Amino acid sequence: MNGLWRPTGLRLRLLLAFASLGLTTTAVVAGVSYVQARNVILQQAQDSAVIRLKEQIAQVTPIRSLPPTQADLRKIAADLSDRDESALVTYRDRSAGDEQLSAALTPQLRAAVSSGRVVWQRRATDGHPYLLIGTQLMRTGDEGDRHPSGLEVYRLHSLDAEQASVDRLASLAWLTGGLSLVLAVLLALIAAQGVLRPVRELGRAARRLGDGDLSTRLAVRGTDELAGVARTFNHTAERLQRQVDELRRLEADARRFVADVSHELRTPLTAMTAVTDVLDEEAPRLPGDAGRAARLVSQETQNLTRLVNDLIEVTRFDSGTAALALDEVDVAEAVRATLRARGWTDQVSTDLPSGTLARLDPRRLDVIVANLVGNALRHGAPPVSVWLRADPDWIVLTVGDRGRGLDPHVLPHVFDRFYKADSARSRSEGSGLGLAIAWENARLHRAGAARGSLAAGNDPAGGAVFTLRLPRNPLDPQWPDAARAAVTGGRP
């Protein structure tokens, strides 16, 4: 799923914000408009019904004598009724007209009408709204003046037409709300597109920058905040590119310096090695301090030669010129040969099934095994063990000892260059490059995208364990594409 559509995505939040704002605004405006229009419609209907009733009452034959007869009550009720409106006329305990209205007359309503006021109430029966109006007829005196007669008139006015108008207003309000919601969503999408396009571009540019493309820049459009972010990003990327270029230049200079010094040292070291060979022969015959000095010079010359050779090897890895010299190798026999050449056969227990064949670089395998076993013998505790396992695609060689193992803070740095777990060993014969070179040699063996690996850990029973995994049919990364295709049949 696109990250911008996640529950916390910016696009979804913008959409919800616009939709909520549009819906709330529409609901408030439509609701207020609906209530006001409804009140106006009902008020107009009410006023119109009251005025009409008063006009009809004024046209009724004036009441000159009281009490009225029942015929008078029926005539008044008939004059005030029509097809859509029914009337009830009462005088004390007598009445005429629509007797069904009697059930709707409450004591409070009758008391208000008896006081001489015009009273109206809105009610609903069986889902039909109506307006109940009550008033008192006036009696004309001998001098033409008008007085309350005690005759009460109640009329029922239907509000169905007004209710239909109110229902149409409600439907219009809902329709307006729906259209406003759709419009808000469309506006939100348009706004999100305008806002999020620079955000997406910034995200893609940041990913490219994180992947190492330091030339990545953003197009600056306009003068708003997003344009300011784009300018800041470009400025940051430019400074980062300058700094990285400077670091790369310094690193390249350092590597070139190490490589040049290492190569320059090889010539004098060759001469010094020849001299130390003579000193080694003469050391037993030299007296006291002279013999010890000769042996010390010989040992330090060997250490310096080993360090220079390691540095030259490291520079090959850094420059990408290290290449494999692959050959069909019996891995078990190659490991035994490494142990024999260094006189470790009696110090190491092995489990090496014969006949385990793989296409490897014998020299690099020898370097790896020598570093791992030598490290176990120097810094671990016996017994040191080497065992070999294989499957159709990989070989796994494990070297372990029974020492105190590797401290947790050491494990992440075991294969770092010049790293020594014990600072007290800073003047030991090791250079701190052996495991780093072994790790690089393992990774140099590659089958497609999979690389060889060298991992360090601790055995639950005690001691350090180094595990080497190499592909049984690796390809030299320096081979030309044509040669690689010839061996693999076109596979990567």
Side-chain angles (χ1 to χ4, degrees):
M1 180 187 292
N2 190 327
L4 296 175
W5 283 108
R6 291 195 306 266
T8 57
L10 185 57
R11 184 192 298 273
L12 185 57
R13 281 185 286 168
L14 280 173
L15 186 61
L16 291 177
F18 271 82
S20 300
L21 178 61
L23 192 59
T24 302
T25 303
T26 302
V28 171
V29 173
V32 172
S33 301
Y34 168 77
V35 171
Q36 290 181 342
R38 176 178 178 275
N39 291 337
V40 168
I41 291 173
L42 293 177
Q43 187 66 43
Q44 288 178 347
Q46 175 180 294
D47 294 344
S48 175
V50 171
I51 292 172
R52 202 167 114 209
L53 176 60
K54 288 182 177 180
E55 290 176 349
Q56 289 179 338
I57 288 175
Q59 296 174 3
V60 172
T61 302
I63 304 299
R64 298 184 179 275
S65 62
L66 292 175
T69 64
Q70 190 67 26
D72 291 336
L73 295 179
R74 284 195 294 270
K75 183 177 184 309
I76 294 173
D79 290 342
L80 297 178
S81 300
D82 56 25
R83 185 180 63 181
D84 297 325
E85 297 178 336
S86 59
L88 175 67
V89 181
T90 66
Y91 183 80
R92 296 180 182 176
D93 58 347
R94 291 184 295 127
S95 63
D98 189 353
E99 295 295 337
Q100 294 181 354
L101 283 177
S102 299
L105 303 182
T106 63
Q108 295 82 2
L109 178 65
R110 300 204 65 170
V113 173
S114 298
S115 66
R117 291 185 295 156
V118 179
V119 182
W120 58 87
Q121 291 181 348
R122 286 197 292 267
R123 298 185 181 181
T125 301
D126 298 330
H128 295 282
Y130 61 87
L131 180 67
L132 178 60
I133 307 173
T135 187
Q136 190 172 166
L137 270 69
M138 304 302 291
R139 178 174 62 87
T140 304
D142 295 336
E143 298 178 358
D145 53 346
R146 299 174 66 84
H147 304 282
S149 65
L151 281 167
E152 298 174 357
V153 176
Y154 299 93
R155 191 159 74 173
L156 201 64
H157 175 75
S158 175
L159 294 176
D160 285 339
E162 287 75 12
Q163 183 63 47
S165 298
V166 170
D167 290 342
R168 284 194 297 272
L169 283 175
S171 299
L172 182 60
W174 280 108
L175 179 60
T176 303
L179 293 176
S180 298
L181 179 60
V182 173
L183 180 61
V185 171
L186 292 177
L187 290 176
L189 291 175
I190 295 173
Q193 181 69 19
V195 171
L196 296 179
R197 183 177 62 252
V199 174
R200 286 195 298 269
E201 292 176 354
L202 179 61
R204 287 193 294 266
R207 284 192 294 272
R208 291 198 303 270
L209 191 66
D211 292 337
D213 184 5
L214 300 181
S215 62
T216 302
R217 298 293 185 273
L218 287 173
V220 180
R221 304 183 184 91
T223 58
D224 57 8
E225 290 81 358
L226 292 174
V229 172
R231 281 191 292 271
T232 302
F233 177 88
N234 291 341
H235 178 67
T236 303
E238 185 176 354
R239 291 192 59 184
L240 179 62
Q241 185 176 21
R242 287 199 302 267
Q243 292 174 358
V244 170
D245 289 343
E246 180 65 16
L247 289 174
R248 286 174 176 170
R249 185 187 65 78
L250 294 174
E251 183 181 12
D253 291 344
R255 288 176 178 175
R256 186 165 53 251
F257 174 77
V258 171
D260 293 343
V261 169
S262 300
H263 282 87
E264 290 296 328
L265 286 175
R266 296 192 74 172
T267 300
L269 278 175
T270 302
M272 292 173 63
T273 301
V275 173
T276 56
D277 290 341
V278 175
L279 290 177
D280 288 339
E281 294 176 0
E282 296 296 330
R285 295 188 289 272
L286 293 175
D289 292 342
R292 285 192 296 273
R295 285 189 292 271
L296 179 60
V297 169
S298 177
Q299 182 62 45
E300 291 300 325
T301 301
Q302 292 176 12
N303 292 340
L304 182 58
T305 301
R306 187 182 305 109
L307 174 60
V308 169
N309 289 334
D310 287 346
L311 288 174
I312 291 174
E313 187 70 8
V314 166
T315 60
R316 292 196 185 101
F317 289 122
D318 290 342
S319 62
T321 59
L324 294 175
L326 297 174
D327 195 5
E328 193 77 17
V329 175
D330 184 330
V331 180
E333 183 56 36
V335 173
R336 292 191 191 98
T338 298
L339 299 179
R340 283 196 304 269
R342 290 161 178 81
W344 294 338
T345 303
D346 296 335
Q347 304 176 55
V348 179
S349 63
T350 60
D351 181 7
L352 305 171
S354 298
T356 304
L357 301 179
R359 292 187 71 251
L360 305 173
D361 186 327
R363 183 184 70 83
R364 297 187 185 278
L365 177 63
D366 175 76
V367 170
I368 297 172
V369 174
N371 272 293
L372 296 181
V373 175
N375 193 67
L377 290 172
R378 284 192 301 272
H379 308 300
V384 175
S385 303
V386 180
W387 60 96
L388 174 66
R389 297 292 180 267
D391 61 35
D393 298 318
W394 296 85
I395 63 166
V396 180
L397 186 68
T398 307
V399 177
D401 62 69
R402 285 295 178 263
R404 62 186 180 91
L406 298 168
D407 292 335
H409 72 277
V410 172
L411 279 173
H413 307 288
V414 166
F415 301 110
D416 291 353
R417 295 175 183 179
F418 299 106
Y419 181 79
K420 295 183 180 181
D422 185 359
S423 59
R425 294 192 287 110
S426 60
R427 285 294 300 150
S428 66
E429 65 180 13
S431 64
L433 290 173
L435 289 178
I437 291 174
W439 185 80
E440 294 282 3
N441 279 323
R443 285 178 52 81
L444 202 58
H445 291 76
R446 188 179 72 180
R451 290 180 176 270
S453 65
L454 180 59
N458 288 315
D459 193 315
V465 177
F466 288 84
T467 303
L468 172 68
R469 292 182 76 251
L470 296 178
R472 298 189 72 165
N473 189 30
L475 296 177
D476 191 328
Q478 301 298 321
W479 281 9
D481 292 340
R484 185 189 305 275
V487 174
T488 63
R491 298 188 306 274

